[in-house]
Amino acid sequence: MVAPPRKWVILIPLLIGIAAFIMLKQNEKPPVQEELQEIPRLVRVIAAPRIDVIPEASGYGTVNPAQTWEAVARVRGDIVEKHPDLEKGVILQAGTQLLRID
């Protein structure tokens, strides 16, 4: 008795797939690793001279400081001497005598 054709429809492609897989595995060669080489390129070079730059900023509108500091003296007396550069926004070196109080 002949098997119904439905079984052969599934069995034949399955056997062909297994045979193809076995043949591919036998003929498979390990991949050849080629060393990657850097491609040399021609470039044009210009010398950049070193120059001193004074940063400058200009703007328009109202400007407010990010931080303010107000000092209150806790000593009694009159100010006898004041540093000539002591103004708002001026940065003085550490240890500079700012005021002399009598």
Side-chain angles (χ1 to χ4, degrees):
M1 184 153 196
V2 179
R6 279 193 270 154
K7 290 183 180 178
W8 291 107
V9 172
I10 296 173
L11 188 60
I12 290 176
L14 184 63
L15 292 174
I16 292 173
I18 293 172
F21 180 75
I22 292 172
M23 286 177 46
L24 287 174
K25 278 297 190 181
Q26 288 176 352
N27 293 335
E28 186 178 302
K29 295 179 184 175
V32 178
Q33 291 184 349
E34 297 179 13
E35 290 186 29
L36 297 176
Q37 294 182 354
E38 204 172 312
I39 300 170
R41 300 183 190 272
L42 293 176
V43 294
R44 187 173 52 158
V45 178
I46 58 172
R50 184 182 192 117
I51 57 172
D52 292 329
V53 177
I54 298 172
E56 184 178 309
S58 61
Y60 301 96
T62 305
V63 177
N64 294 321
Q67 297 177 350
T68 58
W69 178 68
E70 293 183 22
V72 177
R74 293 189 178 191
V75 295
R76 294 180 188 236
D78 296 327
I79 297 175
V80 178
E81 186 180 336
K82 176 185 160 191
H83 192 280
D85 294 334
L86 183 61
E87 297 292 331
K88 282 187 178 182
V90 176
I91 299 174
L92 300 172
Q93 290 184 359
T96 303
Q97 181 178 353
L98 302 176
L99 301 169
R100 183 182 299 180
I101 300 174
D102 182 24

Coordinates of all heavy atoms in Angstrom, one line a residue:
M1 N 0.8 -1.2 0.0 CA 0.0 0.0 0.0 C 0.9 1.2 0.0 O 1.9 1.3 0.7 CB -0.9 -0.1 1.2 CG -1.8 1.0 1.3 SD -3.2 0.5 2.2 CE -4.3 1.6 1.8
V2 N 0.5 2.2 -0.7 CA 1.3 3.5 -0.9 C 0.8 4.4 0.2 O -0.4 4.6 0.5 CB 1.0 4.1 -2.3 CG1 1.8 5.3 -2.4 CG2 1.4 3.1 -3.3
A3 N 1.8 5.1 0.8 CA 1.5 6.1 1.9 C 0.8 7.3 1.3 O 1.0 7.6 0.1 CB 2.8 6.5 2.5
P4 N -0.1 7.9 2.0 CA -0.8 9.0 1.5 C 0.2 10.1 1.1 O 1.3 10.3 1.7 CB -1.6 9.5 2.7 CG -1.6 8.4 3.7 CD -0.4 7.5 3.4
P5 N -0.1 10.9 0.1 CA 0.9 11.9 -0.4 C 1.1 13.0 0.6 O 2.2 13.7 0.5 CB 0.2 12.5 -1.6 CG -1.1 11.8 -1.8 CD -1.3 10.8 -0.7
R6 N 0.3 13.2 1.6 CA 0.6 14.3 2.6 C 1.9 14.0 3.4 O 2.6 15.0 3.6 CB -0.6 14.4 3.6 CG -1.7 15.1 3.0 CD -2.7 15.5 4.1 NE -3.7 14.4 4.1 CZ -4.4 14.1 5.2 NH1 -4.2 14.8 6.3 NH2 -5.3 13.1 5.2
K7 N 2.2 12.8 3.7 CA 3.4 12.5 4.4 C 4.6 12.8 3.6 O 5.6 13.3 4.1 CB 3.4 11.1 4.9 CG 2.4 10.8 6.0 CD 2.5 9.4 6.4 CE 1.5 9.1 7.5 NZ 1.6 7.7 8.0
W8 N 4.6 12.5 2.3 CA 5.8 12.7 1.4 C 6.0 14.2 1.2 O 7.1 14.7 1.0 CB 5.6 12.0 0.1 CG 5.6 10.6 0.2 CD1 4.6 9.7 0.1 CD2 6.8 9.8 0.5 NE1 5.1 8.4 0.3 CE2 6.4 8.4 0.5 CE3 8.1 10.1 0.7 CZ2 7.3 7.4 0.8 CZ3 9.0 9.1 0.9 CH2 8.6 7.7 1.0
V9 N 4.9 15.0 1.3 CA 5.1 16.5 1.1 C 5.9 17.1 2.2 O 6.7 18.0 2.0 CB 3.6 17.1 1.0 CG1 3.7 18.6 1.0 CG2 2.9 16.6 -0.3
I10 N 5.8 16.6 3.4 CA 6.5 17.1 4.5 C 7.9 16.4 4.6 O 8.9 17.1 4.9 CB 5.7 16.8 5.8 CG1 4.5 17.7 5.8 CG2 6.6 17.2 7.0 CD1 3.5 17.4 6.9
L11 N 8.0 15.1 4.3 CA 9.2 14.3 4.6 C 10.3 14.6 3.5 O 11.4 14.8 3.9 CB 8.9 12.8 4.5 CG 10.0 11.9 4.9 CD1 10.5 12.2 6.3 CD2 9.6 10.4 4.8
I12 N 9.9 14.8 2.3 CA 10.9 15.0 1.2 C 11.6 16.4 1.4 O 12.9 16.4 1.4 CB 10.3 14.9 -0.2 CG1 9.9 13.5 -0.4 CG2 11.2 15.5 -1.3 CD1 9.2 13.2 -1.7
P13 N 11.0 17.5 1.6 CA 11.7 18.8 1.9 C 12.5 18.7 3.1 O 13.6 19.3 3.2 CB 10.6 19.8 2.0 CG 9.4 19.2 1.3 CD 9.5 17.8 1.5
L14 N 12.1 18.0 4.1 CA 12.8 17.9 5.4 C 14.2 17.1 5.1 O 15.2 17.6 5.6 CB 12.0 17.2 6.4 CG 12.7 17.1 7.8 CD1 12.9 18.5 8.4 CD2 11.8 16.2 8.7
L15 N 14.1 16.0 4.4 CA 15.3 15.3 4.0 C 16.3 16.1 3.2 O 17.5 16.0 3.3 CB 14.9 13.9 3.4 CG 14.2 12.9 4.3 CD1 13.8 11.7 3.4 CD2 15.2 12.5 5.4
I16 N 15.7 16.8 2.2 CA 16.6 17.7 1.4 C 17.2 18.8 2.2 O 18.4 19.0 2.0 CB 15.7 18.3 0.2 CG1 15.3 17.2 -0.8 CG2 16.5 19.3 -0.5 CD1 14.3 17.7 -1.8
G17 N 16.6 19.3 3.1 CA 17.1 20.4 4.0 C 18.2 19.8 4.9 O 19.3 20.5 5.0
I18 N 18.0 18.6 5.4 CA 19.1 18.0 6.3 C 20.3 17.7 5.4 O 21.5 18.0 5.8 CB 18.5 16.8 7.0 CG1 17.5 17.2 8.0 CG2 19.7 16.0 7.6 CD1 16.7 16.0 8.6
A19 N 20.1 17.2 4.2 CA 21.2 16.8 3.3 C 22.0 18.1 2.9 O 23.2 18.1 2.9 CB 20.7 16.1 2.1
A20 N 21.3 19.2 2.6 CA 21.9 20.4 2.3 C 22.7 21.0 3.4 O 23.9 21.5 3.3 CB 20.9 21.4 1.8
F21 N 22.2 20.9 4.6 CA 22.9 21.4 5.8 C 24.2 20.6 6.0 O 25.2 21.2 6.3 CB 22.0 21.3 7.0 CG 22.6 21.8 8.3 CD1 22.8 23.1 8.6 CD2 23.0 20.9 9.3 CE1 23.4 23.5 9.7 CE2 23.6 21.3 10.4 CZ 23.8 22.6 10.7
I22 N 24.2 19.3 5.9 CA 25.4 18.5 6.1 C 26.4 18.8 5.0 O 27.6 18.9 5.3 CB 25.0 17.0 6.1 CG1 24.1 16.6 7.3 CG2 26.2 16.1 6.0 CD1 23.6 15.2 7.3
M23 N 26.0 19.0 3.8 CA 27.0 19.3 2.7 C 27.6 20.7 2.9 O 28.8 20.9 2.7 CB 26.2 19.3 1.3 CG 25.9 17.9 0.9 SD 25.0 17.8 -0.7 CE 25.8 19.0 -1.7
L24 N 26.8 21.7 3.4 CA 27.4 23.0 3.7 C 28.4 22.9 4.8 O 29.4 23.6 4.8 CB 26.3 24.0 4.0 CG 25.4 24.4 2.8 CD1 24.2 25.3 3.2 CD2 26.3 25.2 1.8
K25 N 28.1 22.2 5.8 CA 29.0 22.1 7.0 C 30.3 21.4 6.6 O 31.4 21.7 7.1 CB 28.4 21.3 8.1 CG 27.4 22.1 9.0 CD 28.2 23.1 9.7 CE 27.5 23.8 10.7 NZ 28.2 24.9 11.4
Q26 N 30.3 20.4 5.7 CA 31.5 19.8 5.2 C 32.4 20.7 4.4 O 33.6 20.6 4.4 CB 31.2 18.5 4.5 CG 30.6 17.4 5.3 CD 30.2 16.2 4.5 OE1 30.2 16.2 3.3 NE2 29.9 15.1 5.2
N27 N 31.8 21.5 3.6 CA 32.5 22.4 2.7 C 32.9 23.8 3.3 O 33.5 24.6 2.7 CB 31.7 22.7 1.4 CG 31.5 21.4 0.6 OD1 32.4 20.5 0.7 ND2 30.5 21.4 -0.2
E28 N 32.5 23.9 4.6 CA 32.7 25.2 5.2 C 34.2 25.4 5.6 O 34.8 24.5 6.2 CB 31.8 25.3 6.5 CG 31.9 26.7 7.2 CD 31.0 26.7 8.4 OE1 29.8 26.5 8.2 OE2 31.5 26.9 9.5
K29 N 34.7 26.5 5.2 CA 36.1 26.8 5.5 C 36.1 27.9 6.6 O 35.3 28.8 6.6 CB 36.9 27.2 4.3 CG 37.0 26.2 3.2 CD 37.7 26.7 2.0 CE 37.8 25.7 0.9 NZ 38.4 26.2 -0.3
P30 N 37.1 27.9 7.5 CA 37.2 28.9 8.5 C 37.4 30.3 7.7 O 38.2 30.3 6.8 CB 38.3 28.5 9.4 CG 39.2 27.6 8.6 CD 38.2 26.9 7.6
P31 N 36.8 31.3 8.2 CA 37.0 32.6 7.6 C 38.5 33.1 7.7 O 39.1 32.9 8.7 CB 36.1 33.6 8.3 CG 35.8 32.9 9.6 CD 36.0 31.4 9.4
V32 N 39.0 33.6 6.6 CA 40.3 34.2 6.6 C 40.3 35.6 7.2 O 39.6 36.4 6.7 CB 40.9 34.2 5.2 CG1 42.3 34.8 5.1 CG2 40.9 32.8 4.6
Q33 N 41.1 35.8 8.2 CA 41.2 37.1 8.8 C 42.3 37.9 8.1 O 43.5 37.6 8.2 CB 41.5 37.0 10.3 CG 40.3 36.4 11.1 CD 40.6 36.4 12.6 OE1 41.7 36.6 13.0 NE2 39.5 36.1 13.3
E34 N 41.9 39.0 7.6 CA 42.8 39.9 6.9 C 43.1 41.0 7.9 O 42.3 41.5 8.6 CB 42.2 40.5 5.6 CG 42.0 39.4 4.6 CD 41.4 40.0 3.3 OE1 41.4 41.2 3.2 OE2 40.8 39.2 2.5
E35 N 44.4 41.4 7.9 CA 44.8 42.5 8.8 C 44.3 43.8 8.1 O 44.5 44.1 7.0 CB 46.3 42.6 9.0 CG 46.8 41.4 9.8 CD 48.3 41.6 10.1 OE1 48.8 42.7 10.1 OE2 49.0 40.6 10.2
L36 N 43.7 44.6 8.9 CA 43.2 45.9 8.4 C 44.4 46.9 8.4 O 45.1 47.0 9.4 CB 42.1 46.5 9.3 CG 40.8 45.6 9.4 CD1 39.9 46.3 10.4 CD2 40.2 45.6 8.0
Q37 N 44.6 47.5 7.3 CA 45.7 48.4 7.2 C 45.1 49.8 7.0 O 44.1 50.0 6.4 CB 46.6 48.1 6.0 CG 47.3 46.7 6.2 CD 48.2 46.4 5.0 OE1 48.2 47.1 4.0 NE2 49.0 45.4 5.1
E38 N 45.9 50.8 7.6 CA 45.5 52.1 7.5 C 45.8 52.7 6.1 O 46.9 52.4 5.6 CB 46.2 53.0 8.5 CG 45.5 54.2 8.9 CD 46.1 54.9 10.1 OE1 46.4 54.2 11.1 OE2 46.4 56.1 10.0
I39 N 44.9 53.3 5.5 CA 45.1 53.9 4.2 C 45.8 55.2 4.3 O 45.2 56.1 4.9 CB 43.8 54.0 3.4 CG1 43.1 52.7 3.3 CG2 44.0 54.7 2.1 CD1 41.7 52.8 2.8
P40 N 47.0 55.4 3.7 CA 47.7 56.7 3.8 C 46.9 57.7 3.0 O 46.5 57.4 1.9 CB 49.1 56.4 3.3 CG 48.9 55.2 2.5 CD 47.8 54.4 3.0
R41 N 46.8 58.9 3.5 CA 46.2 60.0 2.8 C 47.1 61.2 2.7 O 47.8 61.5 3.7 CB 44.9 60.4 3.5 CG 43.9 59.2 3.6 CD 42.6 59.7 4.2 NE 41.7 58.6 4.5 CZ 40.9 58.1 3.7 NH1 40.8 58.5 2.5 NH2 40.1 57.0 4.1
L42 N 47.1 61.9 1.7 CA 47.8 63.1 1.5 C 47.1 64.2 2.2 O 45.9 64.4 2.0 CB 48.0 63.5 0.1 CG 48.9 62.5 -0.7 CD1 49.0 62.9 -2.2 CD2 50.3 62.5 -0.2
V43 N 47.8 65.0 3.0 CA 47.1 66.1 3.7 C 48.0 67.4 3.5 O 49.2 67.3 3.2 CB 47.0 65.8 5.2 CG1 46.0 64.7 5.5 CG2 48.3 65.6 5.9
R44 N 47.3 68.5 3.6 CA 48.0 69.8 3.5 C 48.1 70.3 5.0 O 47.1 70.4 5.7 CB 47.2 70.7 2.6 CG 48.0 72.0 2.3 CD 47.2 72.8 1.3 NE 45.8 72.9 1.7 CZ 45.0 73.8 1.3 NH1 45.4 74.7 0.4 NH2 43.8 73.9 1.7
V45 N 49.2 70.8 5.4 CA 49.4 71.3 6.7 C 49.8 72.7 6.6 O 50.7 73.1 5.8 CB 50.6 70.5 7.4 CG1 50.8 71.0 8.8 CG2 50.2 69.0 7.4
I46 N 49.2 73.5 7.5 CA 49.7 74.9 7.7 C 50.1 75.2 9.1 O 49.5 74.6 10.0 CB 48.5 75.9 7.2 CG1 47.3 75.7 8.1 CG2 48.2 75.8 5.8 CD1 46.2 76.7 7.9
A47 N 51.0 76.0 9.3 CA 51.5 76.3 10.6 C 50.6 77.4 11.2 O 50.3 78.4 10.6 CB 53.0 76.8 10.6
A48 N 50.2 77.2 12.5 CA 49.3 78.1 13.2 C 50.2 78.9 14.1 O 50.7 78.3 15.1 CB 48.2 77.4 13.9
P49 N 50.4 80.2 13.9 CA 51.3 80.9 14.8 C 50.6 81.1 16.2 O 49.4 81.2 16.3 CB 51.5 82.3 14.1 CG 50.3 82.4 13.3 CD 49.9 81.0 12.9
R50 N 51.5 81.2 17.2 CA 50.9 81.4 18.5 C 50.8 82.9 18.8 O 51.7 83.6 18.6 CB 51.9 80.8 19.6 CG 51.4 80.9 21.0 CD 52.4 80.4 22.0 NE 51.8 80.2 23.2 CZ 51.6 79.1 23.9 NH1 52.1 78.0 23.3 NH2 51.0 79.1 25.0
I51 N 49.6 83.3 19.1 CA 49.4 84.7 19.4 C 48.7 84.9 20.7 O 48.0 84.0 21.2 CB 48.5 85.3 18.3 CG1 47.2 84.6 18.1 CG2 49.2 85.4 16.9 CD1 46.2 85.3 17.2
D52 N 48.9 86.0 21.3 CA 48.2 86.4 22.6 C 46.9 87.0 22.3 O 46.8 87.9 21.4 CB 49.1 87.3 23.4 CG 50.4 86.6 23.9 OD1 50.3 85.4 24.1 OD2 51.4 87.3 24.1
V53 N 45.9 86.6 22.9 CA 44.5 87.1 22.7 C 44.0 87.7 24.0 O 44.1 87.0 25.0 CB 43.6 86.0 22.2 CG1 42.2 86.5 22.0 CG2 44.1 85.4 20.9
I54 N 43.5 88.9 23.9 CA 42.9 89.5 25.1 C 41.3 89.3 24.9 O 40.8 89.9 24.0 CB 43.2 91.0 25.2 CG1 44.7 91.1 25.3 CG2 42.5 91.6 26.3 CD1 45.2 92.5 25.3
P55 N 40.7 88.5 25.7 CA 39.3 88.3 25.6 C 38.5 89.6 25.9 O 38.8 90.3 26.8 CB 39.0 87.2 26.6 CG 40.1 87.2 27.6 CD 41.3 87.7 26.9
E56 N 37.5 89.8 25.1 CA 36.7 91.0 25.2 C 35.3 90.6 25.0 O 35.0 89.9 24.1 CB 37.2 92.0 24.2 CG 36.5 93.4 24.3 CD 37.1 94.4 23.3 OE1 38.3 94.5 23.2 OE2 36.2 94.9 22.6
A57 N 34.4 91.2 25.8 CA 33.0 90.9 25.7 C 32.2 92.2 25.7 O 32.6 93.1 26.5 CB 32.5 90.0 26.7
S58 N 31.3 92.4 24.9 CA 30.4 93.6 24.9 C 29.0 93.1 24.9 O 28.6 92.1 24.3 CB 30.8 94.5 23.7 OG 30.5 93.8 22.5
G59 N 28.1 93.9 25.5 CA 26.7 93.5 25.5 C 25.9 94.7 25.8 O 26.4 95.8 26.2
Y60 N 24.6 94.6 25.7 CA 23.7 95.7 25.9 C 22.6 95.2 26.8 O 22.2 94.0 26.8 CB 23.0 96.1 24.5 CG 24.1 96.5 23.5 CD1 24.6 95.7 22.6 CD2 24.6 97.8 23.6 CE1 25.5 96.0 21.7 CE2 25.6 98.2 22.7 CZ 26.0 97.3 21.7 OH 27.0 97.7 20.8
G61 N 22.1 96.1 27.6 CA 21.0 95.7 28.5 C 21.4 95.9 30.0 O 22.5 96.4 30.3
T62 N 20.6 95.3 30.9 CA 20.9 95.4 32.3 C 21.7 94.2 32.8 O 21.3 93.1 32.4 CB 19.6 95.5 33.1 OG1 18.8 96.6 32.6 CG2 19.8 95.7 34.5
V63 N 22.7 94.5 33.6 CA 23.5 93.4 34.1 C 23.5 93.4 35.6 O 23.6 94.4 36.2 CB 25.0 93.6 33.6 CG1 25.9 92.5 34.2 CG2 25.1 93.6 32.1
N64 N 23.2 92.2 36.1 CA 23.2 92.0 37.6 C 24.3 91.0 37.9 O 24.5 90.0 37.2 CB 21.8 91.5 38.0 CG 20.8 92.5 37.8 OD1 21.0 93.7 38.0 ND2 19.6 92.1 37.4
P65 N 25.0 91.2 39.1 CA 26.0 90.2 39.5 C 25.3 88.9 39.9 O 24.2 88.9 40.4 CB 26.7 90.9 40.6 CG 25.7 91.9 41.2 CD 24.9 92.3 40.0
A66 N 26.1 87.8 39.7 CA 25.6 86.5 40.1 C 25.6 86.4 41.7 O 24.7 85.8 42.3 CB 26.4 85.4 39.5
Q67 N 26.6 87.0 42.3 CA 26.8 86.9 43.7 C 27.2 88.3 44.2 O 27.9 89.0 43.6 CB 27.9 85.9 44.1 CG 27.6 84.5 43.7 CD 28.7 83.6 44.1 OE1 29.8 84.0 44.5 NE2 28.5 82.3 44.0
T68 N 26.7 88.7 45.4 CA 27.1 89.9 46.0 C 27.5 89.6 47.5 O 27.0 88.6 48.1 CB 25.9 90.9 46.0 OG1 24.8 90.4 46.7 CG2 25.6 91.3 44.6
W69 N 28.3 90.5 48.0 CA 28.8 90.3 49.4 C 28.8 91.6 50.1 O 29.4 92.6 49.5 CB 30.2 89.6 49.4 CG 30.7 89.4 50.8 CD1 30.3 88.6 51.7 CD2 31.9 90.1 51.3 NE1 31.1 88.6 52.8 CE2 32.0 89.6 52.6 CE3 32.7 91.0 50.9 CZ2 33.1 90.0 53.5 CZ3 33.7 91.5 51.7 CH2 33.9 90.9 53.0
E70 N 28.1 91.7 51.2 CA 28.2 93.0 51.9 C 28.8 92.7 53.3 O 28.4 91.8 54.0 CB 26.7 93.5 52.1 CG 26.1 94.0 50.8 CD 24.7 94.5 51.0 OE1 24.4 95.0 52.1 OE2 24.0 94.6 50.0
A71 N 29.8 93.5 53.6 CA 30.5 93.3 54.9 C 30.0 94.3 55.9 O 29.8 95.5 55.5 CB 32.0 93.4 54.7
V72 N 29.9 93.9 57.1 CA 29.5 94.8 58.2 C 30.6 94.6 59.2 O 30.9 93.6 59.7 CB 28.2 94.4 58.8 CG1 27.8 95.3 60.0 CG2 27.1 94.4 57.8
A73 N 31.2 95.8 59.6 CA 32.3 95.8 60.5 C 31.8 95.6 61.9 O 30.8 96.2 62.3 CB 33.1 97.1 60.5
R74 N 32.4 94.7 62.7 CA 32.0 94.5 64.1 C 32.9 95.1 65.1 O 33.1 94.6 66.2 CB 31.9 93.0 64.3 CG 30.8 92.3 63.5 CD 30.6 90.9 63.9 NE 29.5 90.3 63.2 CZ 29.0 89.2 63.4 NH1 29.4 88.4 64.4 NH2 28.0 88.7 62.7
V75 N 33.6 96.1 64.6 CA 34.5 96.8 65.5 C 34.2 98.3 65.5 O 33.6 98.8 64.5 CB 36.0 96.7 65.0 CG1 36.4 95.2 65.2 CG2 36.2 97.2 63.6
R76 N 34.5 99.0 66.6 CA 34.2 100.4 66.7 C 35.5 101.2 66.2 O 36.6 100.7 66.5 CB 33.8 100.8 68.1 CG 32.5 100.2 68.5 CD 32.2 100.6 69.9 NE 31.1 99.8 70.4 CZ 30.0 100.4 70.8 NH1 29.9 101.7 70.9 NH2 29.0 99.7 71.2
G77 N 35.3 102.3 65.6 CA 36.4 103.1 65.2 C 36.1 103.7 63.8 O 35.2 103.3 63.1
D78 N 37.0 104.6 63.5 CA 36.9 105.3 62.2 C 37.9 104.7 61.2 O 39.0 104.2 61.6 CB 37.2 106.8 62.4 CG 36.2 107.5 63.3 OD1 35.0 107.1 63.2 OD2 36.6 108.5 64.0
I79 N 37.5 104.7 59.9 CA 38.4 104.2 58.9 C 39.5 105.3 58.7 O 39.2 106.4 58.3 CB 37.7 103.9 57.6 CG1 36.7 102.8 57.9 CG2 38.6 103.6 56.5 CD1 35.8 102.5 56.7
V80 N 40.8 104.9 58.9 CA 41.9 105.9 58.8 C 42.5 105.8 57.3 O 42.8 106.8 56.8 CB 43.0 105.6 59.8 CG1 44.1 106.5 59.7 CG2 42.4 105.7 61.2
E81 N 42.5 104.6 56.8 CA 43.2 104.4 55.5 C 42.4 103.3 54.7 O 41.9 102.4 55.3 CB 44.6 103.9 55.8 CG 45.4 103.7 54.5 CD 46.8 103.2 54.8 OE1 47.3 103.4 55.9 OE2 47.4 102.7 53.9
K82 N 42.3 103.6 53.4 CA 41.5 102.7 52.5 C 42.4 102.4 51.3 O 43.1 103.2 50.8 CB 40.2 103.3 52.0 CG 39.5 102.5 51.0 CD 38.3 103.3 50.5 CE 37.8 102.8 49.2 NZ 36.8 103.6 48.6
H83 N 42.4 101.1 50.9 CA 43.3 100.7 49.8 C 42.7 101.4 48.5 O 41.5 101.5 48.3 CB 43.1 99.2 49.5 CG 44.1 98.6 48.6 ND1 44.0 98.7 47.2 CD2 45.3 98.0 48.8 CE1 45.0 98.2 46.6 NE2 45.8 97.7 47.5
P84 N 43.6 102.0 47.7 CA 43.2 102.8 46.6 C 42.4 102.1 45.5 O 41.5 102.6 44.8 CB 44.5 103.4 46.0 CG 45.6 102.6 46.5 CD 45.1 102.0 47.8
D85 N 42.6 100.7 45.4 CA 41.8 99.9 44.4 C 40.6 99.3 44.9 O 39.9 98.5 44.2 CB 42.8 98.9 43.8 CG 43.9 99.5 43.0 OD1 43.7 100.6 42.5 OD2 45.0 98.8 42.9
L86 N 40.2 99.6 46.2 CA 39.1 98.9 46.8 C 37.8 99.6 46.2 O 37.3 100.6 46.7 CB 39.1 99.1 48.3 CG 38.0 98.4 49.1 CD1 38.0 96.9 48.8 CD2 38.1 98.7 50.6
E87 N 37.2 98.9 45.3 CA 36.0 99.3 44.6 C 35.1 98.0 44.4 O 35.6 96.9 44.5 CB 36.2 100.0 43.3 CG 37.0 101.3 43.4 CD 36.3 102.4 44.1 OE1 35.0 102.4 44.0 OE2 36.9 103.2 44.8
K88 N 33.9 98.2 44.0 CA 33.0 97.1 43.6 C 33.5 96.4 42.4 O 33.9 97.0 41.4 CB 31.6 97.6 43.3 CG 30.8 97.9 44.5 CD 29.3 98.2 44.1 CE 28.5 98.5 45.3 NZ 27.1 98.8 45.0
G89 N 33.6 95.1 42.5 CA 34.0 94.2 41.3 C 35.5 94.1 41.2 O 35.9 93.3 40.3
V90 N 36.3 94.7 42.0 CA 37.8 94.6 41.9 C 38.2 93.4 42.6 O 37.8 93.1 43.8 CB 38.5 95.9 42.4 CG1 40.0 95.7 42.4 CG2 38.1 97.1 41.6
I91 N 39.1 92.6 42.1 CA 39.7 91.4 42.7 C 41.1 91.8 43.2 O 41.9 92.2 42.4 CB 39.7 90.2 41.8 CG1 38.3 89.9 41.4 CG2 40.4 89.0 42.4 CD1 38.2 88.8 40.3
L92 N 41.3 91.6 44.5 CA 42.6 91.9 45.1 C 43.3 90.6 45.5 O 42.6 89.7 45.8 CB 42.5 92.9 46.2 CG 41.9 94.3 45.8 CD1 41.6 95.1 47.1 CD2 42.8 95.1 44.9
Q93 N 44.6 90.7 45.6 CA 45.3 89.5 46.1 C 45.1 89.2 47.5 O 44.8 90.1 48.3 CB 46.8 89.6 45.8 CG 47.2 89.6 44.4 CD 48.7 89.7 44.2 OE1 49.5 89.8 45.2 NE2 49.2 89.7 43.0
A94 N 45.2 87.9 47.9 CA 45.0 87.5 49.3 C 46.1 88.2 50.2 O 47.2 88.3 49.7 CB 45.1 86.0 49.4
G95 N 45.7 88.6 51.3 CA 46.7 89.2 52.2 C 46.8 90.7 52.1 O 47.6 91.4 52.8
T96 N 46.1 91.3 51.1 CA 46.2 92.8 50.9 C 45.4 93.5 52.0 O 44.3 93.1 52.4 CB 45.6 93.1 49.5 OG1 46.3 92.4 48.5 CG2 45.7 94.6 49.2
Q97 N 46.1 94.6 52.6 CA 45.4 95.3 53.6 C 44.4 96.2 52.9 O 44.7 97.1 52.1 CB 46.4 96.2 54.4 CG 45.7 97.0 55.5 CD 46.8 97.8 56.3 OE1 48.0 97.6 56.1 NE2 46.3 98.6 57.2
L98 N 43.1 96.0 53.2 CA 42.0 96.8 52.6 C 41.7 98.1 53.3 O 41.6 99.1 52.7 CB 40.8 95.9 52.5 CG 40.9 94.6 51.8 CD1 39.6 93.8 51.9 CD2 41.3 94.8 50.3
L99 N 41.6 98.0 54.6 CA 41.2 99.1 55.5 C 42.1 99.1 56.7 O 42.5 98.1 57.2 CB 39.7 99.1 55.9 CG 38.7 99.0 54.7 CD1 37.3 98.7 55.3 CD2 38.7 100.4 54.0
R100 N 42.3 100.4 57.3 CA 42.9 100.5 58.6 C 41.9 101.3 59.5 O 41.5 102.4 59.1 CB 44.2 101.2 58.5 CG 44.9 101.3 59.9 CD 46.2 102.1 59.9 NE 47.1 101.4 59.0 CZ 48.3 101.9 58.8 NH1 48.7 103.0 59.4 NH2 49.1 101.3 57.9
I101 N 41.5 100.7 60.6 CA 40.5 101.2 61.4 C 41.2 101.8 62.7 O 42.1 101.1 63.3 CB 39.5 100.2 61.8 CG1 38.8 99.7 60.5 CG2 38.4 100.8 62.7 CD1 37.8 98.6 60.7
D102 N 40.9 103.0 63.1 CA 41.5 103.6 64.3 C 40.8 103.1 65.5 O 39.7 103.0 65.7 CB 41.3 105.2 64.2 CG 42.0 105.9 65.3 OD1 42.9 105.3 65.9 OD2 41.6 107.0 65.6

